[in-house]
Amino acid sequence: MVHDTDFHIPGKAFTKAQGIPIVIEEGAWLSSRVIVLKGSVIGKGSVIAAGSVVSGIIPPNVIAGGVPAKVIKKIDPNSSEAGQNKSKKTGIDCRVKNKVDSIIKSVTGTDAYELPQNTPVSSIKNWTAENHLLILKSIENEFLFESNESSYLKLSSLQKIYQWVSSCASGPIKKPHIISE
């Protein structure tokens, strides 16, 4: 249901309310029983979960849900529509990319999700040698693998970092899980 008004003005039962436009951009998908309220914007390629109420701005390429609808996760716009989790262009698992992008954002404040994958890390705002090391160590902790620190210098673009994580996270070297009593 798409409602561009409140139907009446509070306290004036028979006075018609002024409508406020709703924007649903190209490729957005609304599941069943979704309610979109006046003035809302749903970004290009976003998905709204069943039974949600949209009452604000939903950015492009996200999955949102709830009452009111909030962003649940980002969608890689390059991912296959067949439901596969790999980017068509690079073969990078979208879940890996999203986690790595999240770590980069937490350290540098830059949203790597918005950057092309061939972006050199040296051109990313707040990317320093210290942050480079912190990001790569955080990635290893997140994906439970260890790598040789001498290989860190070769990771000079986002693409190389995504490929490094994909290859190492599925490789034989894993950190042992520590189970406390």
Side-chain angles (χ1 to χ4, degrees), residues 15-161:
T15 305
K16 187 176 178 182
Q18 182 71 23
I20 299 174
I22 293 170
V23 177
I24 301 175
E25 294 180 351
E26 180 182 338
W29 184 72
L30 281 63
S31 215
S32 63
R33 300 180 326 277
V34 170
I35 299 172
V36 182
L37 300 178
K38 65 182 182 182
S40 295
V41 176
I42 300 173
K44 180 178 179 178
S46 287
V47 176
I48 309 300
S52 299
V53 176
V54 178
S55 63
I57 298 173
I58 303 296
N61 300 311
V62 298
I63 297 173
V67 180
K70 301 280 186 212
V71 174
I72 297 170
K73 72 180 249 182
K74 291 182 179 182
I75 301 171
D76 183 349
N78 297 321
S79 66
S80 169
E81 291 182 356
Q84 296 175 354
N85 289 320
K86 296 209 178 214
S87 167
K88 290 178 186 176
K89 294 180 183 176
T90 62
I92 303 295
D93 187 314
C94 295
R95 293 169 297 190
V96 168
K97 183 182 180 317
N98 288 342
K99 282 277 193 189
V100 170
D101 290 348
S102 175
I103 291 168
I104 291 170
K105 186 173 184 177
S106 71
V107 174
T108 67
T110 301
D111 193 352
Y113 182 79
E114 303 292 330
L115 300 173
Q117 289 189 14
N118 62 351
T119 301
V121 294
S122 60
S123 69
I124 297 174
K125 184 180 177 186
N126 297 325
W127 196 286
T128 63
E130 184 178 311
N131 284 345
H132 186 79
L133 183 61
L134 179 59
I135 288 165
L136 300 178
K137 285 292 188 186
S138 297
I139 289 170
E140 287 181 343
N141 286 333
E142 178 68 33
F143 291 96
L144 302 173
F145 71 88
E146 292 179 0
S147 182
N148 185 339
E149 288 188 18
S150 65
S151 66
Y152 288 177
L153 297 175
K154 297 175 187 175
L155 304 174
S156 58
S157 71
L158 292 176
Q159 179 71 27
K160 289 180 180 178
I161 291 174

